[in-house]
């Protein structure tokens, strides 16, 4: 009788030992976009070259710095009021708020100091 119970128990457990289980794991990773435009920097200087809608070059000390002007640039005076972009000419003192580094510096705001 003992032998029959042990054999029966083994017969019932054997399929579980050799059976395969199926597990589906779904992992969702957050999508992040890393861009150089995530942090805004500022610099000030005198405008040496200005092409509306294209580029602005500032002289800061002895170094010329070139920036790309996008379509969403805000041109403001010291008080923060919007001004016409055509007021900016070579020799104008400005503060430029931009994102990116190197050749990828994109201006977000130009603040005229004069």
């Amino acid at each position: 009788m003992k032998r029959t119970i042990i054999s029966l128990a083994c017969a019932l457990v054997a399929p579980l030992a050799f059976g395969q289980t199926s597990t589906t794991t779904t992992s969702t990773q957050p999508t992040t976009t890393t861009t150089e435009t995530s942090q805004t920097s500022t610099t000030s200087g005198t405008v040496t070259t200005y092409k509306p809608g294209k580029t602005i070059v500032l002289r800061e000390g002895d170094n010329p710095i070139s920036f790309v002007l996008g379509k969403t640039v805000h041109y403001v005076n010291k008080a923060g009021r919007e001004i016409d972009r055509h007021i900016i000419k070579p020799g104008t003192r400005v503060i430029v708020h931009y994102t990116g580094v190197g050749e990828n510096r994109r201006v977000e705001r130009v603040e005229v100091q004069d």
Side-chain angles (χ1 to χ4, degrees):
M1 178 76 177
K2 238 182 186 181
R3 192 178 220 171
T4 308
I5 293 175
I6 291 176
S7 297
L8 192 58
C10 287
L12 291 174
V13 175
L16 298 176
F18 296 109
Q20 293 182 355
T21 59
S22 169
T23 316
T24 304
T25 305
T26 305
S27 91
T28 305
Q29 296 180 355
T31 304
T32 56
T33 304
T34 305
T35 62
E36 294 179 6
T37 61
S38 60
Q39 187 174 4
T40 302
S41 302
T42 60
T43 191
S44 62
T46 304
V47 176
T48 59
T49 307
Y50 175 63
K51 296 179 184 173
K54 295 186 181 190
T55 61
I56 187 169
V57 179
L58 302 183
R59 180 163 299 278
E60 183 181 40
D62 292 334
N63 303 323
I65 304 170
S66 180
F67 299 92
V68 175
L69 296 170
K71 294 180 181 181
T72 60
V73 177
H74 297 282
Y75 299 91
V76 297
N77 61 14
K78 283 185 196 179
R81 293 194 180 113
E82 292 280 333
I83 60 170
D84 184 24
R85 68 182 184 176
H86 294 97
I87 291 174
I88 300 170
K89 300 195 181 315
T92 306
R93 298 261 322 140
V94 297
I95 297 174
V96 174
H97 302 262
Y98 65 95
T99 56
V101 292
E103 294 178 11
N104 297 322
R105 288 184 291 248
R106 181 168 299 281
V107 175
E108 293 182 354
R109 178 179 168 131
V110 177
E111 185 176 323
V112 177
Q113 296 298 299
D114 294 334

